[in-house]
Amino acid sequence: MSPRDRSDDERFHVFATRSTASLTRLAYLLCGDQHLAHDLVQTCLIRLYQAWPKVRDKDAADAYARKVLLRCWLNERRRPWRRAESRDGLVPDTPVPERDPAGVVHQKEVIRVALAKLPPRQRAAVVLRYWSQHTVTETAAILRCSEGNVKSQSARGLAALRVALAGLGAEALEELNS
């Protein structure tokens, strides 16, 4: 290994250590499954490591990593077994978990469930625009689509998110009152 390769490996190690937590949060928001989020981040880091010597601007590595992570998630969604698998979160023949003693529905869980109801492209547009706070231009570049498409996907996604949140709010209130 040449000295240049060692310094590249060291810089990648520092980058991976620094950015793993934020990439995991982003992956979780995209997929809604903690275990799948960790798998996506690992796949992203493997692909990023393979391309690391070609990354010219190491300062832009965060944006590049988010783009790779999004591509990994979209590729995962296209796999046939993901479409056939039921991911409702219910495991048969298990006891019903105890309710929260305070009877409070956690906002994060409600938002995660509402995001899970959005189609993948709308979810990606909403998460990139409003969670990761990318501009329309940056989001269009990441999603490889036009800015108009990002605007329409974001608007449709927000509308669907509002409907999902309203529905979940009503369900949560019914659950608390029963």
Side-chain angles (χ1 to χ4, degrees):
M1 212 182 239
S2 70
R4 182 185 158 305
D5 292 341
R6 277 195 207 114
S7 67
D8 270 353
D9 283 348
E10 290 170 6
R11 279 186 282 174
F12 179 79
H13 180 72
V14 169
F15 168 79
T17 303
R18 177 179 51 84
S19 62
T20 298
S22 63
L23 288 173
T24 304
R25 284 190 299 273
L26 179 61
Y28 179 74
L29 285 172
L30 289 170
C31 69
D33 180 349
Q34 184 178 15
H35 301 290
L36 180 58
H38 288 293
D39 291 345
L40 289 171
V41 170
Q42 289 302 312
T43 304
C44 170
L45 290 175
I46 289 168
R47 290 185 180 170
L48 190 60
Y49 180 76
Q50 292 168 343
W52 192 252
K54 299 175 195 169
V55 177
R56 299 279 181 237
D57 185 9
K58 302 299 185 197
D59 296 330
D62 287 324
Y64 184 64
R66 288 189 298 268
K67 186 183 291 191
V68 170
L69 178 66
L70 178 67
R71 291 284 158 231
C72 290
W73 175 65
L74 289 173
N75 288 341
E76 185 67 24
R77 296 279 304 175
R78 290 184 193 111
R79 294 180 191 232
W81 59 82
R82 290 285 179 209
R83 289 191 297 265
E85 181 180 333
S86 173
R87 301 191 58 137
D88 59 3
L90 299 175
V91 178
D93 300 323
T94 59
V96 176
E98 294 294 320
R99 285 188 174 197
D100 185 22
V104 177
V105 177
H106 299 285
Q107 279 186 331
K108 288 181 181 179
E109 184 63 19
V110 171
I111 290 172
R112 187 197 62 76
V113 169
L115 277 171
K117 292 183 178 191
L118 296 181
R121 296 291 286 195
Q122 289 179 6
R123 185 182 330 163
V126 168
V127 168
L128 289 171
R129 286 280 294 125
Y130 302 105
W131 178 264
S132 295
Q133 298 186 357
H134 288 288
T135 64
V136 172
T137 306
E138 292 169 340
T139 304
I142 292 170
L143 293 176
R144 294 184 189 162
C145 63
S146 68
E147 292 180 15
N149 192 331
V150 169
K151 291 176 186 178
S152 66
Q153 291 289 335
S154 298
R156 289 181 189 140
L158 286 176
L161 191 61
R162 285 185 191 103
V163 169
L165 285 172
L168 288 172
E171 291 172 11
L173 286 175
E174 289 174 13
E175 194 175 295
L176 287 175
N177 290 333
S178 62

